[in-house]
Amino acid sequence: MVRMRYQRSCASKLDWNSDFYSLGFYQNGKGSPNLKFQRLLINFNPHHLQLSSHLPLKICRSRARRYGLCLPPRLLQVRAMDEDFGVSSLHDWGDNNRAIDYRLSASEGEESDGDIILQPITDVDLPTPKEQFYPADDSITATAHRLSMLGRAYKTKKTKYGILNNIGLITFSTVLLSLVDCCAWKIVRLPLAPLYLMRPFLISAVAVSCVGYVCVPLFRSLKLQSLIRKEGPARHSSKKGTPTMGGLYFVPIGVIVAQILVGFSSLEVLGASAATLAFAAIGLLDDLISTRNNNVGLSARFRIILEVVAGTLFSFWLYTSDIPSPYSMKAVVPLPAPLGLICLGKLYPFLTSFCFVSMANGINLTDGLDGLAGGTATLAFIAMSIAVLPICSELSIFGASMAGACAGFLLHNRYKASIFMGDTGALALGGALASMAACTGMFFPLFISSGVFVLEALSVILQVSFFKTTKYFQGTGRRLFRMAPFHHHLELCGVKEPVIVAGAYAFSCILALSAGYVGLTSV
């Protein structure tokens, strides 16, 4: 504990109001309190001022004399840290998002002075050169800045978890794609170019990550900011104002890289690109309306109608166009042995439309945590690239390019996110995955690799169904989860956001390996 007492010199007869004016407590010489010191409450004694604190303060002797104060050496007492001050409390400060009060109290007999309360919360509350605070080397200012750094250091430590999640995801993706490239001649039975899948993945990842450094501040300046739902977890209120519509730049890059590498000659890649951009347009319309209408975008029914129309048009294009299909048979779904090939006939367009709607909305529901939808979509695209490689090798380039675009976007979307993909990116990713499955019949590997999206959508369906059923029979609705989708339920159970994302990544890695194996054994 540090105790300091400094006594006003008896020889100097200065007016306290003038001293306060020199210290910056009064402004414009009118005697009104400075608004920048509303949170600093000090009661002065005309004869002495005593300051007792848990904080390691330092007083500059020359500057104290400048303001009419005298510091005799015999009155300066310095003691070690009090035993009541626990180190564990430092971590509590950093993890608390609410306002934090630092109280400097003086209690020594009947002559105890008033309390000093400091509230360094954000960068706005910290002293800046433009503000009329104490001088830069003043003790209280320096101590307040040090305390604010404690919370910032803890947040920086939490941010490292998002970086570790990205490193693990990219490492797994590159290793898996490298193994597939090395064994591609055994899978396709044809010689493929070196780095057949790694090249589009790396090009898209680097391009998106570099373009993001330009688009993120641009979107922020254009006021393309997200609005947080009031129904969501309270801790998500800190994400308010984060730029959104990140799909405007990373989705086109993934599409363009794929088209350039295949030479604009593949009908499958052309159709998948058109479907991706069509769903991106639906998401963009929803985002634009929501940003201008207080987070109320397209109605769910109207958006689903647009998605069904887009999926139906894609099914009609598949039926009329002359594209290669498994075993030269259209409307065929390859399944592992002993099931083999299943011809759906007229049911194939309905399955295609259902796949488009379910994938688009599944990814949209998953996009609730920083990096969750982008990372799981990366692994889903890699799994689909492996599954469709024996049927349409050009379409696997499209999948690898979209996977690289998602991985590059994670550089800015990881915890804590600098930008969100919005409905523009979420619906586009769902349309891209569904188009890959529709062109090749690989619906079964798609639903395996997209297991996280399926579980998130099922959690919402179960929550709504259970609530309506209990309300009908019991009069009061009951909930199966604390909040849907399922990742919000885990948040309310106390699981940290980076931990949820890391668990989803690990689960998606297993699903990606399983989907790739099922796809290769089905052909």
Side-chain angles (χ1 to χ4, degrees), residues 25-96:
F25 283 89
Y26 296 107
Q27 60 182 0
N28 302 327
K30 298 180 181 180
S32 60
N34 194 334
L35 295 179
K36 297 178 180 178
F37 285 86
Q38 287 182 355
R39 293 179 180 175
L40 184 61
L41 307 177
I42 301 181
N43 294 328
F44 285 94
N45 193 312
H47 300 290
H48 69 275
L49 186 146
Q50 177 179 341
L51 182 63
S52 175
S53 172
H54 292 286
L55 308 174
L57 302 181
K58 294 169 63 179
I59 296 297
C60 179
R61 179 181 298 277
S62 62
R63 196 166 294 280
R65 286 199 185 99
R66 182 188 303 175
Y67 296 125
L69 301 176
C70 181
L71 290 175
R74 66 179 181 276
L75 295 180
L76 184 60
Q77 299 179 5
V78 179
R79 298 182 182 179
M81 183 179 291
D82 194 352
E83 59 184 1
D84 296 335
F85 187 78
V87 178
S88 61
S89 62
L90 299 181
H91 301 281
D92 297 337
W93 299 347
D95 197 28
N96 193 355

Side-chain angles (χ1 to χ4, degrees), residues 179-252:
L179 290 176
V180 174
D181 284 337
C182 293
C183 303
W185 62 276
K186 296 181 180 179
I187 299 174
V188 188
R189 306 294 183 181
L190 291 174
L192 297 178
L195 302 177
Y196 190 77
L197 297 180
M198 276 295 297
R199 184 175 55 175
F201 178 82
L202 293 178
I203 293 175
S204 295
V206 174
V208 171
S209 60
C210 293
V211 173
Y213 287 106
V214 178
C215 290
V216 171
L218 177 62
F219 286 10
R220 185 178 290 111
S221 63
L222 293 176
K223 305 296 183 180
L224 300 178
Q225 298 176 350
S226 62
L227 300 175
I228 306 301
R229 294 187 302 110
K230 296 180 180 180
E231 297 82 5
R235 68 182 64 182
H236 285 200
S237 60
S238 60
K239 301 180 181 181
K240 183 179 180 181
T242 304
T244 186
M245 302 187 199
L248 278 177
Y249 76 90
F250 83 87
V251 171

